[in-house]
């Protein structure tokens, strides 16, 4: 397999369509905010130290890195399916960020809180390593992703994003267990379902590119 896409590859290339990505990210953020604000809510609002608030804040941070990783893949990947996967992840998670930030505003809470990362989860703080939540890439790993191109860059993105998704699924599963807020639970379950599907797709791409699973 060539280390770059063929010249007649019909898939959209970053050079031809990159102008719409920032617009799409903003639209996704706005739609996420709208969904978060319009969803029905009971009389009781989550408190500042609640699992719901902690999840919204921590998952926003987690998703923000995934958006950056997805955009790197969109801009640099040599395989068109990897490019598509990257931009899809970026757009989906940007929309979810908007939804979670809308929750916090609706709950009259600040975007950030005083609690340490993962403190809302039972023993969650123990899973934070060097300030990074489960699955998150280190600054050195992000630098390597930005600098690695060709098939090796595609493989690195898939490896890092699968790890990232595993951490995100773990967080979402925890809030499903501990939260009593119907909207948060439903959104977390959708996150679990979508990221598990994406991991299956990414593992298939790993096999296609000859990467170890």
């Amino acid at each position: 397999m060539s280390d770059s896409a063929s010249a007649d590859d019909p898939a959209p290339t970053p050079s031809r369509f990159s102008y719409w990505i920032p617009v799409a990210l903003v639209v996704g953020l706005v739609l996420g905010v709208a969904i978060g604000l319009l969803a029905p809510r009971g009389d009781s609002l989550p408190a500042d130290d609640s699992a719901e608030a902690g999840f919204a804040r921590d998952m926003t941070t987690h998703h923000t890195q995934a958006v950056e990783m997805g955009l790197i893949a969109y801009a640099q990947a040599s395989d068109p399916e990897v490019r598509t996967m990257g931009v899809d992840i970026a757009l989906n998670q940007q929309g979810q960020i908007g939804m979670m930030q809308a929750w916090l505003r609706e709950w009259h809470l600040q975007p950030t809180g005083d609690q340490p990362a993962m403190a809302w989860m039972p023993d969650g703080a123990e899973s934070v390593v060097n300030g990074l939540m489960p699955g998150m890439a280190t600054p050195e790993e992000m630098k390597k992703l930005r600098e690695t191109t060709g098939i090796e860059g595609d493989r690195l993105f898939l490896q890092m994003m699968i790890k990232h998704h595993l951490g995100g699924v773990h967080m979402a599963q925890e809030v499903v267990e501990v939260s009593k807020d119907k909207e948060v639970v439903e959104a977390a379950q959708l996150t679990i379902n979508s990221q598990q599907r994406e991991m299956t797709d990414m593992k298939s791409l790993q096999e296609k590119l000859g990467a170890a699973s």
Side-chain angles (χ1 to χ4, degrees):
M1 176 182 290
S2 171
D3 281 2
S4 61
S6 61
D8 59 351
D9 181 2
T13 60
S15 60
R16 290 170 58 197
F17 291 100
S18 59
Y19 69 90
W20 64 264
I21 295 297
V23 175
L25 288 173
V26 172
V27 170
L29 187 64
V30 171
L31 288 174
V33 169
I35 292 169
L37 291 176
L38 293 176
R41 174 75 58 188
D43 294 332
S44 179
L45 299 179
D48 193 59
D49 61 350
S50 66
E52 292 81 7
F55 171 76
R57 289 164 174 156
D58 287 350
M59 193 60 92
T60 291
T61 300
H62 207 272
H63 275 15
T64 298
Q65 187 181 69
V67 170
E68 181 181 0
M69 291 167 64
L71 291 179
I72 292 171
Y74 173 75
Q76 299 181 181
S78 62
D79 185 273
E81 291 183 85
V82 175
R83 286 203 306 269
T84 298
M85 176 65 67
V87 76
D88 284 349
I89 288 172
L91 294 173
N92 290 338
Q93 298 210 12
Q94 187 73 2
Q96 291 171 15
I97 288 171
M99 178 180 65
M100 291 183 289
Q101 291 300 300
W103 290 347
L104 292 169
R105 285 191 291 273
E106 183 188 359
W107 301 339
H108 310 295
L109 301 177
Q110 295 299 314
T112 59
D114 297 330
Q115 297 290 318
M118 308 292 284
W120 57 273
M121 282 176 50
D123 301 321
E126 297 177 4
S127 64
V128 177
V129 179
N130 296 325
L132 297 174
M133 290 174 280
M136 291 189 69
T138 66
E140 293 77 18
E141 288 171 330
M142 291 298 294
K143 181 175 184 292
K144 183 177 180 180
L145 181 63
R146 287 189 288 269
E147 295 175 350
T148 306
T149 58
I151 293 296
E152 289 306 314
D154 296 357
R155 291 169 176 162
L156 182 59
F157 165 74
L158 293 171
Q159 178 186 23
M160 289 174 61
M161 188 59 82
I162 289 171
K163 178 182 175 183
H164 205 275
H165 271 20
L166 285 170
V169 166
H170 175 63
M171 292 167 65
Q173 288 172 333
E174 286 293 328
V175 84
V176 167
E177 291 295 322
V178 302
S179 178
K180 304 299 183 185
D181 187 291
K182 181 180 178 182
E183 182 185 355
V184 172
V185 170
E186 288 178 350
Q189 188 61 58
L190 287 174
T191 295
I192 293 167
N193 297 342
S194 65
Q195 293 199 9
Q196 286 177 334
R197 285 194 300 270
E198 287 170 349
M199 283 191 286
T200 298
D201 292 341
M202 286 188 283
K203 289 176 182 177
S204 295
L205 283 172
Q206 282 185 321
E207 293 178 2
K208 169 188 169 183
L209 299 177
S213 60

